[in-house]
Amino acid sequence: MDQNNPVNKLLNLLCFTPAGLIALAVLFVLPLIPPFNQEYLLRWLISAAFIAALAVAFDFTAGFISIVNFGYAAIMGLGGYTSAILAERLGLNPWLGMLAGGLLAAFLGFVIGAITLRLRGIFAACLAWFFGLALMGLATKMVWLTRGPLGMRVDRLFESSSNLPYYYLCLAMMVIIYIICKWCTRTKMGLAFKAIGQNMEAARTSGINPIFYRLVNFTLSCALAGWLGGFYAHYYAILTPDIMHTSKTVEVLAVAYIGGRGSLWGGAAIAFPFIFAMELVRSSLTNLPGLNLLLYGLLLILVMIYYPGGFAEFFDKTFRKTKNRIMGYVLNGAHGGAK
């Protein structure tokens, strides 16, 4: 790829490959093409874009510093409740409320990270999960503030009854989150993240402060989750503590790992067909609740056995093989013509 080409420079700045840009263009026009312009399929597309954005932000932590934040859905829910409460109780503009939700989620992520990230592996993951359970418990019991299981009604961002503006907003948020995370991984800080994720002791002996870099990574990931939580609140227009349930985190984790841990783009790419498949299962097999969680587990097992790098590894290998074959045909054809 010619790096002096203006198009390639722009793609490099935006952290996109030509294939990624084509995929994004397809996602942009998809809701304008029947049958995807139907409202129920638009809702599926929004769910897919939302999970894709969460998977990118989740993978930023799980894929680079090897910390699985099992309280991720609770952090996202905190952002949603913050934006909703500020909008409904204090009359704050919802757009500002979404940013406020991200900031509060970042602050709580910093506090949780300062406590948990001194631990390693499963201990840090479990402690983050316990914090998530505590947040869900507070959202359930503080009925005077959150209305608990009754659900809190929230104003929507757009007056239109169409889901189309929400789809393009969520798609834009997904792209912004991807670019932010990708930019971070390209810096010296990103090298520190990778070093810590591969071998924390070796990184420490190289002069890297693991706690500092893990804390920065964890805080940013939580901020992005809180921002998305604000979108969730003002899109669905009702909030219940179920948004903070661990099963929501498992759904994001499954998408991130099936997409390819540490790739960032893999989870975003796989989220759309994956969520559509799960929605079809839910709508077709309503008498089997929880079947989607079983399918998550089976898919994760298959991925870990055959493609530990997920869809990103599969795509890279397939693309490389195809490219080599094409080059081989071209070279053989050139040699044949020379003869």
Side-chain angles (χ1 to χ4, degrees):
M1 184 183 289
D2 182 11
Q3 295 298 330
N4 294 321
N5 187 309
V7 176
N8 293 334
K9 281 185 177 180
L10 180 61
L11 287 174
N12 186 57
L13 180 65
L14 297 175
C15 309
F16 274 94
T17 62
L21 197 62
I22 291 169
L24 187 61
V26 170
L27 291 177
F28 186 83
V29 301
L30 195 60
L32 306 176
I33 303 171
F36 296 101
N37 57 349
Q38 298 180 46
E39 289 299 321
Y40 82 97
L41 286 179
L42 270 174
R43 287 194 293 272
W44 289 12
L45 282 171
I46 293 168
S47 296
F50 182 74
I51 294 297
L54 281 173
V56 172
F58 182 88
D59 189 37
F60 184 63
T61 294
F64 287 86
I65 62 170
S66 297
I67 296 293
V68 179
N69 183 0
F70 278 113
Y72 204 64
I75 297 293
M76 183 262 290
L78 174 69
Y81 271 109
T82 300
S83 184
I85 290 168
L86 289 175
E88 299 305 309
R89 312 284 192 201
L90 302 179
L92 186 69
N93 186 294
W95 297 95
L96 295 176
M98 289 168 61
L99 294 176
L103 289 174
L104 185 59
F107 174 74
L108 186 65
F110 177 84
V111 172
I112 294 173
I115 297 170
T116 62
L117 297 182
R118 297 177 185 276
L119 305 175
R120 298 189 184 186
I122 193 64
F123 299 104
C126 286
L127 200 51
W129 178 37
F130 296 154
F131 271 102
L133 293 176
L135 279 175
M136 184 176 173
L138 288 172
T140 304
K141 297 300 180 183
M142 296 174 69
V143 180
W144 57 273
L145 183 63
T146 65
R147 288 179 51 85
L150 296 175
M152 183 178 182
R153 294 193 177 276
V154 187
D155 288 337
R156 302 188 86 199
L157 289 170
F158 303 106
E159 293 182 1
S160 171
S161 60
S162 171
N163 287 300
L164 194 60
Y166 292 95
Y167 172 69
Y168 284 123
L169 174 60
C170 194
L171 191 66
M173 292 175 74
M174 181 195 78
V175 172
I176 290 168
I177 288 171
Y178 169 75
I179 292 173
I180 289 172
C181 293
K182 195 68 176 179
W183 276 350
C184 287
T185 61
R186 288 182 171 185
T187 63
K188 291 181 180 179
M189 187 173 287
L191 290 175
F193 292 157
K194 293 174 186 177
I196 292 167
Q198 291 174 5
N199 190 321
M200 193 163 70
E201 289 305 322
R204 195 193 302 273
T205 57
S206 301
I208 295 172
N209 183 344
I211 295 176
F212 170 77
Y213 286 105
R214 291 170 105 193
L215 196 55
V216 170
N217 182 296
F218 196 84
T219 301
L220 178 57
S221 177
C222 288
L224 296 173
W227 185 42
L228 287 166
F231 168 83
Y232 180 99
H234 295 288
Y235 167 61
Y236 286 99
I238 189 166
L239 275 177
T240 63
D242 288 343
I243 187 181
M244 298 179 164
H245 200 278
T246 308
S247 62
K248 303 293 185 185
T249 301
V250 171
E251 186 173 14
V252 175
L253 180 150
V255 171
Y257 275 64
I258 292 170
R261 183 168 168 264
S263 66
L264 292 181
W265 67 268
I270 207 68
F272 288 87
F274 187 82
I275 295 302
F276 263 69
M278 291 300 107
E279 291 294 343
L280 282 172
V281 168
R282 285 173 183 165
S283 58
S284 304
L285 302 172
T286 54
N287 58 332
L288 294 174
L291 181 62
N292 58 311
L293 294 176
L294 177 62
L295 293 176
Y296 293 156
L298 290 174
L299 283 171
L300 281 171
I301 290 170
L302 291 173
V303 167
M304 294 305 166
I305 292 173
Y306 295 106
Y307 276 97
F311 173 74
E313 179 188 352
F314 171 78
F315 180 85
D316 287 341
K317 286 184 176 179
T318 304
F319 178 78
R320 203 176 298 118
K321 285 180 181 178
T322 305
K323 183 179 178 181
N324 290 339
R325 284 178 182 174
I326 292 172
M327 291 298 295
Y329 290 142
V330 170
L331 291 174
N332 289 335
H335 289 157
K339 291 178 183 179

